[in-house]
Amino acid sequence: MFWPEFRRMALSPDVWNGVERLQREMDRLFAGLSLPYERSFPAVNIWEGEDDAVVTAELPGVDPDKIELSAQGDTLTISGSREPETLREGETYHRQERRHGRFTRIVKLPFRVDEKGVEATFERGVLSVRLPRHEEEKPKKIQIKST
């Protein structure tokens, strides 16, 4: 019942071959474009403790020497670049989803940071930054006076 109706409505194989060829040409045409990173790159997680915060950022394939960090006030800025992969002669991308080029991510922190105590490590494509809370921002015990 369904099949004869479908065959009558179906397009000829030549049309589908043309659609597939068009798709391949579109993939090839846009494969080499260098698009700017989205504002949300790199993805980050932030943990807040009583004395500090830890920010981790996913940066696979990024040379740690090309990462720039700055902390000022309550803001952490992570910027850098990822180099494009080198293709051998005659190779072209079939699919290219990993982007390359410059990126910047600005993270608003829940408190002012003591910039002198900031520490950063990079392991297996993950940047980890420990940001100590500024002394003036730490909770202080208040003495209660009795009369």
Side-chain angles (χ1 to χ4, degrees):
M1 294 180 137
F2 175 73
W3 185 248
E5 186 69 25
F6 179 75
R7 286 189 77 152
R8 193 163 18 113
M9 292 174 46
L11 301 173
S12 73
D14 292 340
V15 171
W16 291 116
N17 289 339
V19 170
E20 288 176 5
R21 188 174 60 244
L22 177 62
Q23 178 67 47
R24 284 193 304 271
E25 288 298 315
M26 296 298 283
D27 288 345
R28 186 186 61 77
L29 182 64
F30 293 108
L33 291 180
S34 176
L35 301 174
Y37 283 108
E38 296 175 20
R39 290 181 176 256
S40 60
F41 183 85
V44 298
N45 286 341
I46 304 172
W47 293 269
E48 179 185 2
E50 194 170 297
D51 295 328
D52 61 6
V54 175
V55 176
T56 59
E58 296 177 359
L59 292 165
V62 176
D63 182 348
D65 292 335
K66 298 198 176 185
I67 300 171
E68 300 161 22
L69 282 177
S70 67
Q72 184 174 15
D74 61 353
T75 303
L76 172 69
T77 303
I78 304 168
S79 58
S81 65
R82 180 173 19 213
E83 298 298 319
E85 295 173 279
T86 305
L87 299 179
R88 291 179 283 187
E89 188 173 324
E91 287 183 333
T92 58
Y93 282 105
H94 171 69
R95 179 177 298 262
Q96 183 183 20
E97 296 181 356
R98 292 180 54 191
R99 295 180 181 173
H100 59 272
R102 296 267 326 149
F103 61 86
T104 298
R105 179 78 190 262
I106 298 171
V107 179
K108 181 92 171 164
L109 301 165
F111 52 78
R112 279 182 35 212
V113 172
D114 178 5
E115 292 94 355
K116 294 176 185 170
V118 175
E119 298 173 355
T121 59
F122 189 82
E123 184 175 338
R124 299 173 60 191
V126 177
L127 174 69
S128 180
V129 185
R130 189 181 87 60
L131 302 137
R133 186 184 297 258
H134 196 280
E135 200 60 42
E136 293 176 6
E137 298 273 332
K138 290 183 180 176
K140 295 182 176 50
K141 187 172 182 175
I142 300 170
Q143 293 288 334
I144 300 173
K145 299 175 185 171
S146 60
T147 55

